[in-house]
Amino acid sequence: MNQALLDGKVLRIALVGCGRISSKHFSAIAKDARLKLVGVCDNNEDRANLAALTNHTQAFTDYEMMLDSIKPDIISICTPKPCEFVISPRWRSIYDSITVPCVARGL
């Protein structure tokens, strides 16, 4: 990750996929003062709304609309492995270098 992003800035993070593993990501994000959860997305509207309500953020069912609307610094992709390709090429080039797998990094 670009060090300039970490120098005193609170990073705006969005999460895609509000299933089982997302709770670990939400917990890690909440514990790190350098991160602010600004949106969640899931193709299941009820799951997205519950995650947003529980984590005091916005819910989306369309990840591109979420990215266009909130313009996060980081996206955490919490989808099953076969679904990771769903991020469109226009966003992949921008976000690949700053996608943070929160649990793997121990945030």
Side-chain angles (χ1 to χ4, degrees):
M1 177 174 284
N2 183 335
Q3 186 58 40
L5 286 176
L6 299 177
D7 292 336
K9 180 181 177 188
V10 173
L11 299 174
R12 297 165 39 82
I13 186 166
L15 185 136
V16 177
C18 299
R20 290 180 298 194
I21 194 67
S22 67
S23 64
K24 296 199 181 289
H25 289 248
F26 291 135
S27 178
I29 292 165
K31 290 177 185 175
D32 193 323
R34 299 170 298 174
L35 301 175
K36 176 177 174 55
L37 184 65
V38 294
V40 297
C41 181
D42 196 283
N43 60 2
N44 178 312
E45 187 174 6
D46 290 338
R47 198 165 37 207
N49 286 334
L50 179 59
L53 181 64
T54 303
N55 294 282
H56 313 289
T57 194
Q58 298 177 66
F60 296 86
T61 55
D62 180 309
Y63 71 91
E64 290 195 72
M65 183 181 290
M66 178 180 74
L67 296 175
D68 285 338
S69 174
I70 63 176
K71 299 186 180 9
D73 298 309
I74 300 169
I75 54 173
S76 181
I77 302 172
C78 301
T79 61
K81 190 83 169 144
C83 297
E84 288 180 354
F85 69 91
V86 301
I87 300 298
S88 72
R90 80 181 176 110
W91 286 104
R92 185 166 298 284
S93 63
I94 296 169
Y95 287 96
D96 265 0
S97 64
I98 59 173
T99 299
V100 176
C102 294
V103 174
R105 289 181 54 101
L107 295 176

